[in-house]
Amino acid sequence: MRTGRPGRFGRWVARARLSSLRTTFTVSFAAVAAAVTVLVGFLSYDAAARLVRVDQQTVFEGVVQDLLDEVRRNPLEPADFATAGAGDGPRGELVRPSGTVVQVLGPDGSVVDRGRTPLPVDAADRPIAAARAAGRLVEHRDADVGDDVYRVATVSLGGGRGAVQVAQEFSGTEDLLRDLQQRTVLLVGAVVIAAGLFGWWLARRITSRLVRLAGAAEDVARTGRLGIQVPVAGYDEVARLGRSFDRMLGRLAQSEDDQRRLVQDAGHELRTPLTSLRTNISILRRIDELPPAVRQELVDDLAQESRELTDLVNELVALAAGQSDTEPPRRVALGDLADDVAVAARRRTGRAVTVRVSGDTAVDGRPAALQRAMSNLVDNAAKFDRGGSGPIELVVTRADRDTVRVEVLDRGPGIAQADLDRVFDRFYRAPDARSLPGSGLGLSIVREVAAAHGGEPFAGRREGGGSVTGFTVAGGTVP
């Protein structure tokens, strides 16, 4: 039960973090939408309100200017602006365009003809009514009439005949603007709520795949099983992350499987020499009872078995470290490496080794790994060509623009047709080679080196007898 709790707690933490991510995404989306909507709504309302107020002010100023022009051109009496007959007189011309309220004052400033809405008369209006000059104006002012606000202007008729007051209601426009403001606020609120809901839906849609991916990662961490199927859907960044995680698990599973098979094969191969060593060591307890010839044979067997065991361990270490080689790749000429390999092989085996190089053999690679692959091929040829009927040939050629080919040719017994497909497998040894020393790992290392350098190994029978083994290397230009 204790082992299950950390897993459940870990999944709860992962979900909490993803929920926090979902909340953050939702709030951020709603905040951005709110900021944009408020800004657009404020600018739109401000522009509309400014346009309406300016338009209404312009209309009223036009009415006042028409009245001024009229009284200055023609001497008019208060009766000309009377309510009776307003449809055809100057009063009608003022009222028709914009519904202006008109009120007529007598010479003493008293109201002689009220309009549909009584307008206030203050101390500034009475001197205008008694003015001798026509067209004197009291500047526009705002006046409260009941619950409404009017913009009022007073114009003198001249000759002490009185004055005309014109007014236009502004409170209706402000009510309209307030209604527009309320509608704008409601619209902004609705947009913010809709943006928040959409952001929550979108965040849930995105993070749901992250939740499944996090669950898969938690299962891998909890169980250690790398074969868990990772849910992948779509082509966006989350899907790419899922596919990359799935490929990573596949590579790890393959690596784990390779390591497991390497350990199993190594254990199987080590069992034989260790058993032989134990047998010979048990015989050493009675070495005084053995004849001198048997003693010498026993010592020779121990030396040979210890050498084979050492070679096998060295091969295993080289094979296990092949994929984690830290040697940095650099530009290297395979022809020069072939010369070094031939010199070492002549000294080690006493065999004649010739080198043929054709074309530009420079590649990007790890020199030590490539040299070891060549050495394994030459040593393998020397081991099987026991008769020494001909020199071992090491040939390095540029096959094409992107490939360099390394071949080792010998005149030994050759490779059986049934063994051609398996000679590069780990620990594989042909039936006629099982009595020879070796670990069965030399050609496997050649395959690993070739694969690490973008190439592949090959093996075949040589015309006229013998075998051809080798590998290719990707030989493009330096990036």
Side-chain angles (χ1 to χ4, degrees), residues 364 370 402-404 447-457 471-475:
D364 293 329
L370 293 169
D402 298 323
T403 306
V404 176
R447 182 182 63 182
E448 298 290 339
V449 172
H453 289 78
E456 58 183 10
F471 61 95
T472 59
V473 179

Side-chain angles (χ1 to χ4, degrees), residues 267-286:
H268 176 75
E269 292 296 324
L270 287 171
R271 192 175 293 117
T272 299
L274 289 176
T275 301
S276 179
L277 279 174
R278 283 198 304 270
T279 302
N280 288 331
I281 290 173
S282 64
I283 296 176
L284 282 176
R285 296 175 180 174
R286 298 183 293 109

Side-chain angles (χ1 to χ4, degrees), residues 127-141:
I128 292 297
R132 306 303 298 176
R136 290 188 59 185
L137 172 68
V138 174
E139 294 294 336
H140 308 160
R141 71 181 190 277

